[in-house]
């Protein structure tokens, strides 16, 4: 892996807290300019990994580079290259937004002649440059506080911006605002952000990394992960009739099909998921067969695309079933996966 093509290269990272192995043999790379979603269940090792990337937390083992520099041996230089907003975004309640950003610009060592332009740019990107710039931080909504934290993170025009749960506690309107903000950062910096709002990750990110039990269990675009974890064609069918009769009718589709009938029905209609595992199905032909069936009455039939939540549940559930050796092998498959 070339350091000129990648903002981050991690190989064999490990971190233990007492008996708890928070990160185990973790390897991945992130290309320059990518926006990457960092996902995993609680306790998967996401925040620990992000802190190791920033140099705040030393790795027990492994190799970590940021923009070609080794994090352990060039920690001061690396910190200048990274903008970081932690999960619990600590902000002073008694300062105005503009005062806080001026203070942070001074702390970050931004030259005096560049501070005004840098602060204005950060506030503009985060949409703080109008009404919010003079407001006291303690009076701001959660969404605007998150914007202030992100503005702080990008003040120094970092090569890499790390945002740990920037959407936590936000309402849908505020989440959309953070989505716009991330889009504003595209092309300016490499962005890594963790979030439990999977739909936002799917919309905003170029690539997705999923951790579980401290290891990488999935890496790729949403489409690549669908092909790996949930291959085949999927259809959602609504049909009325006796469940057993419907099941027997659907068995005639062939062994390549799996059938899942919901436990509940609405107005006598069952919601049925059909999956063709060989990916060679013809939706129109299948619908024509279903409409001719005497054992059920079809109300709707349409293809469905698994979303990131489906992928996440499948990827993390699969990793729980793997042995430690299999998990290590799985991690090894992903360490070369980058764009």
């Amino acid at each position: 892996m070339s350091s000129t093509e990648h903002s981050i290269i991690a190989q064999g990272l490990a971190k233990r807290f007492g008996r708890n192995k928070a990160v185990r043999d973790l390897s991945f790379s992130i290309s320059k300019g990518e926006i990457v979603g960092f996902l995993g269940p609680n306790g998967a090792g996401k925040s620990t990994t992000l802190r190791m990337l920033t140099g705040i937390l030393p790795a027990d083992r492994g190799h970590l580079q940021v923009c070609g520099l080794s994090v352990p041996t060039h920690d001061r230089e690396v910190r200048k290259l990274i903008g970081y907003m932690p999960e619990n975004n600590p902000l002073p309640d008694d300062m105005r937004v503009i005062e806080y950003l001026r203070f942070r610009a001074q702390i970050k060592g931004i030259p005096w002649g560049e501070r005004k332009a840098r602060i204005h740019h950060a506030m503009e990107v985060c949409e703080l440059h109008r009404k919010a710039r003079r407001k006291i931080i303690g009076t701001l909504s959660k969404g605007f506080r998150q914007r202030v934290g992100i503005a702080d993170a990008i003040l120094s025009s970092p090569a890499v911006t790390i945002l740990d749960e920037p959407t936590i506690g936000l309402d849908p309107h505020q989440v959309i605002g953070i989505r716009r903000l991330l889009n504003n950062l595209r092309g300016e910096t490499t962005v890594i952000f963790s979030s439990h709002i999977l739909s936002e990750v799917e919309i905003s990110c170029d690539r997705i990394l999923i951790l579980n039990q401290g290891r990488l269990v999935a890496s790729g675009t949403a489409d690549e992960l669908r092909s790996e974890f949930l291959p085949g064609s999927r259809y959602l069918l609504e049909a009325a009739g006796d469940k057993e009769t419907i099941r027997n009718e659907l068995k005639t589709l062939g062994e390549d099909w799996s059938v899942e009938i919901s436990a509940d029905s609405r107005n006598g209609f069952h919601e049925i998921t059909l999956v063709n595992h060989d990916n060679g199905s013809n939706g129109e032909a299948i619908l024509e067969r279903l409409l001719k069936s005497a054992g059920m009455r079809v109300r709707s039939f349409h293809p469905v695309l698994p979303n990131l939540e489906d992928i996440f549940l499948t990827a993390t559930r699969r990793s729980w079933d793997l042995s430690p050796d299999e998990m290590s092998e799985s991690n090894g498959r992903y360490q070369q996966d980058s764009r």
Side-chain angles (χ1 to χ4, degrees), residues 117-323:
R118 294 277 187 91
I119 291 169
H120 177 76
H121 176 70
M123 288 196 299
E124 192 172 35
V125 169
C126 298
E127 299 179 0
L128 295 167
H129 58 299
R130 294 188 179 93
K131 295 181 180 179
R133 69 190 305 273
R134 301 295 304 172
K135 287 192 174 181
I136 295 173
I137 291 174
T139 68
L140 295 176
S141 67
K142 175 70 172 176
F144 272 96
R145 290 176 68 91
Q146 295 296 76
R147 288 170 187 259
V148 174
I150 297 172
D152 178 9
I154 66 172
L155 259 182
S156 61
S157 299
V160 177
T161 302
I162 297 175
L163 308 174
D164 196 356
E165 295 286 354
T167 55
I168 191 169
L170 303 189
D171 66 35
H173 291 290
Q174 293 169 333
V175 169
I176 292 171
I178 298 297
R179 184 199 305 171
R180 282 201 310 270
L181 194 161
L182 289 171
N183 194 52
N184 290 341
L185 293 175
R186 191 177 296 278
E188 290 194 8
T189 177
T190 301
V191 179
I192 309 168
F193 83 97
S194 65
S195 177
H196 287 295
I197 304 179
L198 303 186
S199 58
E200 286 305 309
V201 172
E202 186 167 9
I203 291 170
S204 302
C205 292
D206 302 315
R207 196 157 55 91
I208 299 155
L209 306 179
I210 302 178
L211 273 64
N212 199 19
Q213 298 177 312
R215 292 186 173 96
L216 189 69
V217 296
S219 171
T221 65
D223 286 339
E224 288 169 347
L225 297 182
R226 282 188 193 95
S227 297
E228 178 177 358
F229 290 95
L230 294 167
S233 303
R234 283 171 164 72
Y235 298 91
L236 189 62
L237 167 69
E238 283 187 302
D242 176 71
K243 272 191 178 183
E244 196 58 37
T245 302
I246 291 175
R247 194 179 297 278
N248 289 334
E249 290 279 353
L250 295 176
K251 281 182 181 178
T252 63
L253 294 175
E255 294 182 357
D256 292 331
W257 290 85
S258 64
V259 178
E260 182 179 329
I261 303 177
S262 63
D264 301 323
S265 63
R266 294 181 181 179
N267 299 322
F269 283 86
H270 306 287
E271 192 173 272
I272 303 161
T273 302
L274 301 174
V275 181
N276 182 272
H277 298 286
D278 71 358
N279 235 346
S281 63
N282 182 325
E284 291 184 6
I286 297 302
L287 177 58
E288 187 177 345
R289 286 185 59 182
L290 294 175
L291 290 173
K292 292 178 180 178
S293 171
M296 60 178 155
R297 182 160 54 93
V298 176
R299 180 165 70 178
S300 68
F301 176 82
H302 58 87
V304 292
L305 193 66
N307 58 29
L308 187 54
E309 181 176 340
D310 300 323
I311 296 167
F312 178 86
L313 292 173
T314 302
T316 53
R317 186 185 304 122
R318 181 186 295 183
S319 69
W320 282 110
D321 298 330
L322 296 178
S323 68

